């Protein structure tokens, strides 16, 4: 193996630390930053594995930096911190980083919901509720402007990302009377958890719905739908997730009962208007398999009107670890620091 | 390898031929018959592979009979014929077998629909429409009595099997106002087809919806829902299927908007009344993974009321090749010939 | 779901308890016994999950018995105990069962090795060395007579099963000068362990050799090779195992440098003589994929002479959980209690 | 989707055409060239799918160029042609491109063997034997200098790549007395073939050795071993390949009987001397899973001495489509055109 090559970021690039780099999401974010021409990966921290290189933990990523403990002074001199901790554990670190003057992207659920009451119903007491009002919701295509100016960006969950991109054109047009979302995801969505849901001899050759009628991503989706269509403040979403035996990949199948009849042409115009200029949303001519977006920041979707039932169907595919989590964080970082939105991602 | 053991069926057992034993469905049916204590597997035929043993084609099945061509006189002296041909190709063989006095189970779509018009809209001209009125629909739990006396049983498709068992208690109670069915299936559902949908490097690590707004199983499901609830002759079903990367397994997720509010207790009573005495339907306390029914004739399901949306959710898992196809054919044969319904299947 | 059906064993059948029924091996053994016509499954015990039914733990198995703690009096009145504990933990239970008058099949490594010194080099101090001399090595095809009369049978490891069946005809003929065994196994071989080796997002899309130059199954294989060919007391085997991303299945590829040239015809005669009358060994005409023996007690193999290198190649496939573990235990029980060797297994 | 971005190669970059871009190998090579900063992808041709974009065939690759027919004048004005045709079909196109003044990398077997006699024994008559002497063998790490100056580079097979990199340090030191290579590969190694070897319901849950004692890669490996150690002109290799159920990944397990005892330290020195300065060979401290090199040009290996048997074990992992085929072709292009060897590949 050749000696380490130098990082290839430009002189004077913003310095970014990844807090929580041992899990799937933080590790991938660190690797993407390591290869990014416009950011310096200033450090990686973890609550375990301290002293080991990321390369030792994830040989594929070939990042030679060592995991450090997160000490307050590791937050000095940074331009941004990407926090990849579980919910509730994230908020205190977010607060600390903000105090030190860094801008923050938080991958947890802690700042995704506007409503404190909703948060506490699903997650328990909020550690730092006073920061909620600072947060921009980090679904880039829907909140680009707010993200550009925000000190704190709450990166969305992977299910809301796929679902909201699929539904946004219909919601904005006030067309959603009722909606069922059946989402399927690969096993990486369960993270590094070692249990029945991830064991190959149990998760393999299986299709497993989970969290029936009680998925934490439902309120996140509903809040954003109200943002997109404030005329329907009581919208409810029937959201259901299933694990299927693959590694990375996620698809939301959305079954919309429209408020009025919508034909193929109108549908094409709505989606074209929303996404023709988006660098990371692709409109396909048939339902996109998740392989088509594997290891990429793309969301690929297909919308159709069913003349038999009158419903509108939208199929939206992403890589749950990329556009669903870590590469969308990089997309947001690009937006926050004035870099080309596709930098390091194309 | 030891010399072949004798078949172990009882003296005087009904003699059954499998026509079309080279595909996944016919081959499994032949193997189940070979091990069945109450039937004699009288022969297996195929349009290819003539002269080879089934064991050579499917080493796992260890059936030493040889594939023969289907000649008219191979249909003499039979009690039953199980026809595993593609639609349209099946009907002439079904007719021939009936003429020779055999009872028939047809695995194709040719006799599943009551309505000739509906058949011809989806499949083209029907080769033998005069036989339609003879056919019992072979979803055992719904049509047991008709199957017992029928000369011709149209074995249902795998998607209708999982879907209708899930919906029947609600339909009979007149509770279905609207329904979305999102069904997932393993790759064996595509049969021996060698193409992009079955190649491991394309089907693996993929989630692929197909036949959007145009699945042939939709009218089959709708016809049976009208049978279950004649008060709703215009019921439509939003049915969507996806391929996921496993071999055998299928799950229907049914999202029902009920005609009135239904609580957990009423739901439990409806499903208990429908299935507590059924040998092959299991009511689970959480959504059943498809592994739980792998290589079995069981349908395992879970129903829940979502108080947030008011919808009823039913998840129904089967093995698409077993209860979805071949073992349900055996269950029907048991019913037709007065054998214990679980014989050869438990 | 219908009321539980009665067990279907014959009146007066030997009563067998499975100690350690929560792991993959014990659970499968319990399920096979539950369906066996000639044994009564008298109980199942576990060190965890006490009070739950096996069906709750393994829904596929549909065994309604409850896990009990193993108390000394649970060993009274039994004809046999099948012990499925980890090595060292097994020996005390084996001893207890023998004292109570039961015959024992032990699935652990505790009694597989004749040589106490070898055991202690690989596993540490032996808890009950005085029982070693009682044990028959439970590779049925090689030790059928000893098994029939033994009070204690040490069920072999899955790797030695596949390897020794492949090599026995050559070893008995004194033909092995040198041998490399490259064995591949599915993830179920790692059992219920929840870690990096079993997580679908780590084990999937991976080929992973492990325990290089230090596999505990090596001395077990070597001891048996000396038993088969006492003229080579110092035989060494280069044994290497790899995990590949499937659930159940194992294949040993054996590369033998023979002591003299061996042609195809002699090879066919050697293997035919060894296995033509064996009910569970199949000689194939090409290398057998592991799918061909999935969920069965068969070992399927293919032997070839390579005229280019002069080596002999033998490929031997088993299901690691069946012939490699639990169904071979049933095969041995059949032999021990005078039942047809294929009872409950064909 | 945003308008196509411009290609990002530097002004004046060499112009490269990919002939045969519809198969797995050619398509990946085209995509790697499309993203390469130092080459212009001048065109892609195919014998089918003419007029479709590569993106339509392989949505993941997002290459908007259209497949063209290969006409003689499509070879004008090119600096290089990468030929991805089956053996025998490749040679005429190679000849044509050379005549037009382009340098050629051929992915087929047509120019890999020095010996015409060996070629014809395995592949039949050679279409253009007079070109054999022009060809450099494109295993970059072994033939870098010859590749730099060659007009024709024969890209090695994936099995020889993994195997020869593993064995080269031992071969050069004259240490190989005997060698067994057991290689495992994912299903993409079978290419776009639609048959029993690639159908997920047949290839899944399977381990399948193939081409026993008759693999075409054996003479390729042996020829190169003689090149590395001319003192052993009659070396034979026991090479065996198996398909395992994953998509991309390949591992060669090499079992070497050395000509004399070799210890761990000497082994480490031999491999360090060979590879410490190689940008794409990584020496690992334990056997490398193939996931560690997925979608990369790396070969990752581990060598160990087994004191029990005296043998040397080397495990070598590559991605069969990348270092085993297409990215190695890019590595060679970099060498041929004086670009940094890692350009477009790191």
């Amino acid at each position: 193996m050749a000696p380490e090559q130098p990082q290839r970021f430009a002189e004077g690039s913003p310095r970014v630390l990844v807090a929580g780099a041992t899990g799937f999401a933080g590790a991938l974010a660190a690797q993407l930053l390591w290869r990014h021409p416009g950011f310096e990966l200033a450090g990686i921290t973890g609550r375990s594995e301290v002293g080991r290189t990321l390369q030792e933990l994830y040989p594929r990523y070939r990042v030679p930096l060592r995991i450090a403990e997160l000490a307050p002074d590791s937050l000095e001199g940074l331009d941004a911190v990407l926090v990849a901790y579980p919910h509730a554990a994230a908020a205190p670190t977010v607060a600390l980083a903000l105090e030190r003057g860094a801008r923050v992207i938080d991958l947890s659920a802690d700042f995704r919901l506007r409503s404190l009451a909703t948060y506490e119903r699903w997650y328990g007491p909020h550690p730092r509720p006073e920061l909620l009002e600072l947060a921009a919701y980090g679904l880039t295509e829907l909140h680009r402007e707010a993200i550009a100016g925000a000190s704190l960006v709450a990166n969305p969950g992977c299910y809301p990302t796929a679902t909201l991109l699929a539904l946004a054109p219909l919601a904005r047009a006030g067309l959603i009377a009722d909606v069922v979302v059946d989402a399927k995801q690969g096993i990486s969505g369960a993270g590094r958890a070692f249990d029945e849901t991830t064991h190959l001899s149990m998760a393999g050759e299986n299709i497993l719905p989970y969290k029936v009628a009680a998925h934490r991503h439902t309120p996140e989706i509903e809040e954003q739908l109200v943002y997109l269509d404030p005329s329907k403040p009581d919208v409810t979403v029937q959201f259901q997730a299933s694990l299927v035996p693959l590694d990375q990949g996620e698809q939301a199948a959305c079954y919309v009962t429209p408020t009025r009849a919508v034909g193929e042409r109108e549908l094409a115009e709505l989606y074209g208007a929303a996404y023709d200029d988006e660098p990371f949303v692709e409109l396909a001519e048939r339902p996109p398999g998740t392989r088509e977006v594997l290891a990429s920041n793309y969301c690929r979707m297909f919308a159709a009107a069913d003349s038999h039932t009158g419903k509108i169907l939208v199929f939206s595919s992403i890589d749950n670890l990329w556009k669903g989590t870590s590469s969308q964080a990089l997309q947001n970082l690009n937006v926050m620091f004035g870099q080309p939105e596709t930098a390091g991602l194309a």
Side-chain angles (χ1 to χ4, degrees), chain A:
Chain A
M1 178 168 29
E4 286 312 327
Q5 296 174 19
Q7 280 182 254
R8 289 170 310 162
F9 52 87
E11 195 68 29
S13 295
R15 304 183 70 239
V16 186
L17 177 130
V18 175
T22 57
F24 285 176
L28 176 56
Q31 192 248 359
L32 291 172
L33 278 164
W34 179 256
R35 303 185 327 182
H36 196 291
F39 293 106
E40 177 185 351
L41 178 57
I44 54 177
T45 73
R47 297 184 295 183
S48 62
E49 312 286 357
V50 171
R52 300 183 67 190
T53 66
L54 193 63
Q55 190 159 26
E56 285 163 27
L57 289 178
Y58 294 87
R60 267 182 81 182
Y61 287 167
R62 297 181 171 78
V63 177
L65 295 191
R66 289 186 189 282
I67 307 283
E69 278 188 273
L70 182 68
D73 61 356
S74 40
L75 295 171
E76 300 295 339
L78 296 172
D79 296 285
V81 177
L82 198 150
V83 179
Y85 284 155
H87 69 84
T93 301
V94 167
L96 210 62
L98 289 171
E99 284 160 21
R100 291 295 193 286
R103 298 172 79 182
V104 175
I105 294 188
D106 178 28
L107 299 187
S108 85
D110 282 357
F111 302 98
R112 290 175 187 163
L113 294 167
R114 305 264 129 184
S115 158
L116 179 60
T118 306
Y119 181 92
E120 300 201 324
R121 196 176 321 129
W122 288 90
Y123 297 94
H126 195 294
R128 300 301 293 262
E130 74 280 9
L131 300 178
L132 277 175
E133 65 178 10
L134 291 182
Y137 186 71
L139 187 45
T140 328
E141 286 75 11
L142 303 190
H143 296 274
R144 190 173 275 117
E145 211 167 318
I147 292 163
S151 56
L152 170 55
V153 172
N155 219 54
C158 57
Y159 286 126
T161 294
T163 301
L164 290 166
L165 288 174
L167 296 178
L170 300 175
R172 281 207 199 96
L175 285 168
I176 301 180
D178 187 60
V179 57
V180 168
V181 180
D182 185 293
K184 300 100 184 157
Q185 193 183 42
I187 302 303
S188 64
R192 280 182 76 94
F194 295 119
D195 56 25
E196 282 86 353
T197 61
T198 61
H199 193 301
L200 190 144
S201 293
M202 302 172 184
E205 201 68 6
N206 203 7
I207 302 170
L208 188 64
Y210 65 101
K211 291 189 188 157
V212 171
H215 201 289
R216 285 166 168 178
H217 283 164
T218 306
E220 186 181 337
I221 295 168
E222 290 173 349
E223 251 199 14
Q224 291 294 316
L225 287 181
V226 176
Y227 160 82
L228 291 161
D229 179 8
S231 78
K232 300 200 180 60
D234 299 322
V235 65
T236 61
V237 173
Q238 186 71 51
F239 177 83
Q240 178 61 44
S242 295
L243 290 177
V244 289
L246 48 102
D247 179 7
Q248 294 172 217
E250 178 177 317
Q251 183 166 88
C254 304
Y255 304 93
V256 176
T257 307
T259 52
R260 60 170 172 78
V262 179
E264 290 290 351
R265 175 178 301 208
E266 183 180 358
L267 209 53
E269 286 170 359
L270 278 170
Y271 279 81
Y275 295 129
D276 277 351
D277 292 337
E278 282 294 341
F280 289 118
V281 181
E282 296 180 325
L283 301 177
E285 288 169 19
R286 49 188 180 77
T290 56
R291 276 189 86 87
E292 302 178 14
V293 295
L294 185 61
S296 85
N297 193 52
Y298 289 96
C299 174
R300 197 167 160 92
M301 69 176 67
F302 171 71
D306 187 334
S307 60
H308 176 61
T309 61
K311 287 193 166 58
I312 298 170
L313 282 57
V314 194
F315 302 90
S316 164
S317 287
I318 60 171
D319 184 315
N320 52 301
L321 289 185
W322 285 65
K323 178 66 175 168
T325 309
S326 302
S327 69
Q328 182 157 254
L330 270 278
Q331 186 183 1
N332 287 332
L333 266 186
N334 284 339
V335 170
M336 291 164 80
F337 287 90
Q339 309 227 10
E341 194 168 320
T342 58
L345 294 172

